[in-house]
């Protein structure tokens, strides 16, 4: 797949020959320098943006350029509607899809429960911490029961402790709900802690620079972060990223 942005006769190539197969239920993490096209790639997979060439195949079906349909997106900046409560934010996608009120509230409540926010159902976004707002963002994405969850640096705006907590929560939700995940981050530690497989992208125009399987058992435990295997993988990825930036 390839993508370029065009403005005033200038062409900015953003993704070049990017091709990737993501098996069902995989937790895939995309790592890459700022501006290499990670968000663009997720938007293309989500269908809110079109590629110039290539297609997005989901469960055997060509979904290029269409939205909804099995994909849920979680954004770094949460993107909640400030005038809606937790419950109404989470139910929003179902409302758009024409799901009846009783059913959408029931689904929304069970997703809110999944992220541990049941007692904040009636709170507005400004009454919630950043970590809680992102839990709402995750519940909202889950509410439409997507087969694939697209997460664009979802914890990038959170403090380190909250980030660690949400990583563990996400892993347990992922294990229970059985979803495929494509998770974008620029934290190497976060990538190794979460992923089954890590894809390292080159600087713009983004293409695949390296793919690594992550060898740790699940459920993941905090202490892998100080193991020699973890540190070795981290330094290998760091070297690859640095080499990419030199060219
Ligand atoms: P990343 O998420 O990896 O930081 P992005 O996908 O956001 O990268 O952006 C890749 C490149 O494309 C950047 O140089 C950015 O400025 C440019 N870009 C992103 N969106 C647009 C757009 N809508 N129009 C023009 N250029 C864009
Ligand atoms: Mg981005």
């Amino acid at each position: 797949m390839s993508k370029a942005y065009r403005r005033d006769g200038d062409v900015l190539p953003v993704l070049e020959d990017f091709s990737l197969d993501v098996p069902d239920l995989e937790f895939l993490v995309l790592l890459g320098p700022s501006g290499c096209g990670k968000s663009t790639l997720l938007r293309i997979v989500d269908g809110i943006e079109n590629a110039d060439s290539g297609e997005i195949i989901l469960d055997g079906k060509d979904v290029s350029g269409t939205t909804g349909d099995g994909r849920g997106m979680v954004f770094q900046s949460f993107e909640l509607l400030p005038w809606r409560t937790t419950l109404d934010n989470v139910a929003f996608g179902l409302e758009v899809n024409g799901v009846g009120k009783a059913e959408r509230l029931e689904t929304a409540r069970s997703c809110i429960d999944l992220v541990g926010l049941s007692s904040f159902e009636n709170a507005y976004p400004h009454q919630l911490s950043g970590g809680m707002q992102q839990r709402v963002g995750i519940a909202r994405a889950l509410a439409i029961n997507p087969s694939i969850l697209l997460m664009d640096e979802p914890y990038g705006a959170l403090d380190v402790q909250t980030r660690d907590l949400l990583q563990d929560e996400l892993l347990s939700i992922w294990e229970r709900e059985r979803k495929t995940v494509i998770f974008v981050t620029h934290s190497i530690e976060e990538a190794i802690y979460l992923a089954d497989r890590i894809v390292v992208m080159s600087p713009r125009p983004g293409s695949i620079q390296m793919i690594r399987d992550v060898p740790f058992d699940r459920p993941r435990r905090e202490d892998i972060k100080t193991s020699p295997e973890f540190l070795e993988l981290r330094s290998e990825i760091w070297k690859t990223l640095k080499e990419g930036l030199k060219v």
Side-chain angles (χ1 to χ4, degrees), residues 42-49 56 58-59 61-73 93-94 96-97 141 144-150:
L42 280 199
R43 288 200 302 270
I44 291 172
V45 176
D46 192 38
I48 49 185
E49 188 116 54
I56 307 299
L58 182 65
D59 297 330
K61 198 173 134 201
D62 187 350
V63 295
S64 318
T66 68
T67 56
D69 220 5
R71 290 149 292 166
M73 181 85 119
L94 299 166
V96 172
N97 291 349
I144 57 166
N145 194 26
S147 55
I148 184 163
L149 208 49
L150 307 170

Side-chain angles (χ1 to χ4, degrees), residues 207-242:
S207 59
I208 295 177
Q209 204 173 4
M210 176 172 98
I211 301 185
R212 281 289 173 276
D213 287 319
V214 176
F216 301 107
D217 292 338
R218 302 207 185 254
R220 294 277 156 87
R221 292 158 37 130
E222 195 67 28
D223 57 12
I224 63 169
K225 291 182 185 171
T226 50
S227 70
E229 294 89 345
F230 191 101
L231 300 176
E232 200 175 303
L233 187 53
R234 188 182 69 176
S235 92
E236 188 195 1
I237 293 172
W238 177 226
K239 257 189 228 145
T240 305
L241 281 168
K242 266 201 303 205

Side-chain angles (χ1 to χ4, degrees), residues 104-236:
R104 70 177 186 251
L105 293 185
E106 191 190 325
T107 305
R109 287 205 172 93
S110 81
C111 293
I112 291 169
D113 191 39
L114 206 60
V115 299
L117 281 184
S118 290
S119 46
F120 293 90
E121 214 179 89
N122 297 313
Y124 290 89
H126 76 272
Q127 299 171 309
L128 304 173
S129 68
M132 292 159 93
Q133 290 187 53
Q134 193 55 299
R135 289 182 177 95
V136 177
I138 291 167
R140 177 186 53 191
L142 291 171
I144 57 166
N145 194 26
S147 55
I148 184 163
L149 208 49
L150 307 170
M151 308 185 78
D152 194 1
E153 304 197 36
Y155 306 145
L158 304 176
D159 62 82
V160 179
Q161 288 83 356
T162 307
R163 185 177 195 152
D164 284 1
L165 203 67
L166 265 81
Q167 287 171 359
D168 286 332
E169 281 180 22
L170 176 64
L171 288 180
S172 83
I173 289 171
W174 170 73
E175 268 154 35
R176 255 185 306 165
E177 296 296 299
R178 304 180 58 76
K179 304 277 179 210
T180 307
V181 176
I182 302 182
F183 187 107
V184 166
T185 181
H186 55 239
S187 160
I188 303 176
E189 283 84 2
E190 182 167 66
I192 302 174
Y193 189 66
L194 294 175
D196 289 324
R197 199 157 60 116
I198 297 176
V199 171
V200 180
M201 289 172 69
S202 68
R204 186 182 65 74
S207 59
I208 295 177
Q209 204 173 4
M210 176 172 98
I211 301 185
R212 281 289 173 276
D213 287 319
V214 176
F216 301 107
D217 292 338
R218 302 207 185 254
R220 294 277 156 87
R221 292 158 37 130
E222 195 67 28
D223 57 12
I224 63 169
K225 291 182 185 171
T226 50
S227 70
E229 294 89 345
F230 191 101
L231 300 176
E232 200 175 303
L233 187 53
R234 188 182 69 176
S235 92
E236 188 195 1

